Amino acid sequence: MKIYLDDERQTPQGWVRTYWPDEVIELLQAGGVEEVSLDHDLGDDQRGTGYDVILWIEEAVALHDFCPPVIHVHSANASAVEKMRAGVRSIRQLAQKHRQDHELKR
């Protein structure tokens, strides 16, 4: 499954549309998500932003050996994009470290 989080843009063909971070997180918890594409600004910061999904994935990888999907960022908010990309880099590093640790234990 491919998940597209956005409040305004048209959903690409083959992607599942979500509007809020909690929807994305619920799908991630259910499993089977191969890719996510995240917008940052979703129209109601009280309900969350795309960055909240990044934070959830990062914590799940660090604490629960969660295997992260491929993560794309498609926000027009330049400063948020940088923050989100930094989170994606951290997720990749954590996931790589977990893979290496598991290989060493074998």
Side-chain angles (χ1 to χ4, degrees):
M1 176 187 320
K2 297 178 181 182
I3 302 172
Y4 192 77
L5 174 64
D6 201 294
D7 62 324
E8 294 181 351
R9 292 173 187 84
Q10 186 170 348
T11 307
Q13 188 170 347
W15 292 71
V16 173
R17 174 63 169 263
T18 57
Y19 293 89
W20 302 110
D22 60 328
E23 297 171 316
V24 178
I25 291 166
E26 187 175 313
L27 292 168
L28 288 166
Q29 289 172 324
V33 176
E34 299 167 2
E35 292 184 54
V36 295
S37 187
L38 306 171
D39 185 18
H40 183 272
D41 302 316
L42 303 170
D44 181 358
D45 286 353
Q46 297 287 7
R47 289 241 11 222
T49 68
Y51 186 62
D52 294 317
V53 176
I54 297 286
L55 292 175
W56 183 90
I57 294 171
E58 186 174 26
E59 181 176 311
V61 170
L63 300 179
H64 306 292
D65 284 336
F66 179 75
C67 183
V70 174
I71 304 168
H72 307 280
V73 176
H74 65 261
S75 179
N77 181 331
S79 63
V81 166
E82 287 308 310
K83 178 171 72 170
M84 292 172 77
R85 287 184 178 155
V88 171
R89 285 190 298 273
S90 175
I91 289 165
R92 285 186 191 135
Q93 290 171 346
L94 284 167
Q96 183 177 10
K97 182 181 182 319
H98 282 288
R99 280 192 299 273
Q100 290 171 344
D101 288 348
H102 285 297
E103 289 174 10
L104 289 174
K105 290 179 182 177
R106 290 183 188 181

